Amino acid sequence: MAKVLRWTGYVLGLVLLLIVAAPGYVWFASNNALNARVEPHAEKLIPMQRASVEEGNHLLLTRACAECHGSDLHGAKFLDDAKIATLYAPNLTLVAKQATDQQLAQAIRQGVGYRGEPLLVMPSESYQDLTDAEVSSLIKAIRAAPAGGRETPARRVGPLGRIGLVAGKFKTAPVVVQDYANARAADLGPQFAAGRHIAVTVCSGCHGSTLSGKEAEPGTMAPDLTITGSYDLAAFTKLMRTGLPPSGKELKMMTGVSRKAFTHFTDHEIASLHGYLVERTRRAP
Ligand code: HEC
Ligand code: HEC
């Protein structure tokens, strides 16, 4: 009897320890991920007098920056859920007053905020492939945008968000940047390079590093872009400009992002993107 009691005591003690220790562990481990000071590497930029505000503004629209950060770049809510996270895409006109060109480039291409923190949600995994000239133009355009608005609320990660981080379900931007660097979309040669560049620097964010599909947000799959093989240029242009597939039915995510961002592509950009995606489908094993 005494033996049984002693064992029950051990088991109860262990359960208690787990109840107390598990949240402590999640808190500690998630803080490690959120507060990890990432040492960004130096960015190569072109001289700012050669960077183009016009190109930068075109990139702010087509790379969907304006969709998250607001059309005036004054910041916008991304998610506000106490259990998961409170996360705003910050006011870039105010960030630009604090940050150097180097720091802005590091935030865009490496996912490291100017205060040195690893960013969340910011799709640097796709933007790491922007050219030096493109990043410089983006920075020039951000600095040229009229400053105003308020500072957005600070980032807070709730218990479910922390569990997700510790379980590896959510990753910080620098980690995703590395994942993407390790698996690239097929390079089909110089003839298709311009189209590939667009696919890699924006479509990959939702369709995956190799464009083979991924869960774009919990419960919503972005398909393998071989699906573009069934689109002729007219149908593809309609999808980019109106967000509507041949069926004419609105799509859950694709319709919104097309109308806000992809509608700003030039005809030439749409044609080269289509050319690359069709060729990628043709050569798919
Ligand atoms: C899917 C939404 C989304 C898109 C698209 C996006 N951002 Fe962000 N961005 C964010 C969020 C959210 C943060 C803040 C992350 C955090 O606090 O952890 C952020 C942070 C930043 C920062 C860092 C600010 C700081 O405090 O250092 C810069 C700079 C930035 N974004 C620029 C851009 C540019 C330029 C583009 C387009 C090329 C872009 N973003 C596209 C969501 C987005
Ligand atoms: C914000 C996430 C996101 C981005 C960025 C994105 N897609 Fe999509 N896309 C989706 C999702 C999710 C679907 C599946 C349909 C849906 O739920 O919207 C989809 C579907 C598609 C389809 C299939 C439509 C159909 O059902 O016939 C095509 C083609 C496509 N995307 C092309 C692109 C191209 C090209 C780009 C880059 C210019 C791109 N997508 C960027 C999320 C995205």
Side-chain angles (χ1 to χ4, degrees):
M1 189 65 193
K3 213 174 182 181
V4 173
L5 275 181
R6 192 159 43 170
W7 275 103
T8 317
Y10 286 153
V11 170
L12 279 179
L14 197 69
V15 168
L16 244 153
L17 189 75
L18 278 176
I19 292 174
V20 177
Y25 170 73
V26 169
W27 185 264
F28 176 79
S30 58
N31 267 350
N32 269 353
L34 290 171
N35 301 334
R37 279 284 165 273
V38 188
E39 202 45 65
H41 56 80
E43 289 278 352
K44 272 219 313 285
L45 296 172
I46 66 166
M48 277 300 159
Q49 63 274 23
R50 279 205 277 123
S52 152
V53 173
E54 196 189 356
E55 184 192 24
N57 282 331
H58 184 64
L59 290 165
L60 284 170
L61 291 171
T62 56
R63 267 48 176 189
C65 321
E67 197 188 338
C68 287
H69 289 274
S71 50
D72 52 8
L73 304 182
H74 289 182
K77 181 171 83 185
F78 181 77
L79 178 71
D80 195 356
D81 180 327
K83 290 194 286 301
I84 303 169
T86 301
L87 190 65
Y88 280 74
N91 183 334
L92 293 181
T93 67
L94 299 183
V95 169
K97 290 187 173 176
Q98 310 290 326
T100 62
D101 290 349
Q102 266 297 318
Q103 287 169 322
L104 288 173
Q106 288 164 340
I108 297 168
R109 285 206 287 207
Q110 300 178 50
V112 182
Y114 76 92
R115 297 186 191 86
E117 79 284 17
L119 298 171
L120 295 173
V121 171
M122 166 68 187
S124 303
E125 64 273 16
S126 302
Y127 304 147
Q128 67 181 312
D129 282 300
L130 291 171
T131 65
D132 300 342
E134 285 173 330
V135 178
S136 307
S137 294
L138 270 169
I139 293 170
K140 194 164 177 176
I142 292 169
R143 295 207 184 281
R150 295 153 176 262
E151 188 107 24
T152 51
R155 156 174 116 184
R156 292 171 90 145
V157 184
L160 290 184
R162 285 171 181 276
I163 290 172
L165 264 172
V166 173
K169 181 98 179 118
F170 308 134
K171 296 174 175 179
T172 62
V175 176
V176 193
V177 166
Q178 193 52 54
D179 287 351
Y180 269 52
N182 294 338
R184 322 308 304 262
D187 182 347
L188 306 178
Q191 194 191 338
F192 299 103
R196 176 179 183 272
H197 185 66
I198 299 174
V200 166
T201 55
V202 61
C203 315
S204 71
C206 292
H207 289 273
S209 61
T210 60
L211 310 176
S212 318
K214 83 166 198 188
E215 198 174 20
E217 65 178 22
T220 307
M221 276 302 290
D224 187 323
L225 282 182
T226 49
I227 194 169
T228 319
S230 66
Y231 275 74
D232 62 17
L233 181 59
F236 186 70
T237 304
K238 181 176 159 213
L239 177 69
M240 294 290 108
R241 295 245 184 270
T242 67
L244 297 176
S247 72
K249 283 211 199 91
E250 292 201 357
L251 300 166
K252 196 171 156 211
M253 285 184 84
M254 195 55 200
T255 299
V257 70
S258 299
R259 286 179 184 166
K260 288 190 188 131
F262 307 150
T263 188
H264 298 287
F265 282 135
T266 63
D267 289 341
H268 184 74
E269 284 174 319
I270 291 181
S272 56
L273 180 56
H274 181 254
Y276 169 74
L277 292 173
V278 168
E279 182 64 11
R280 174 179 172 274
T281 307
R282 206 179 61 77
R283 294 203 211 169

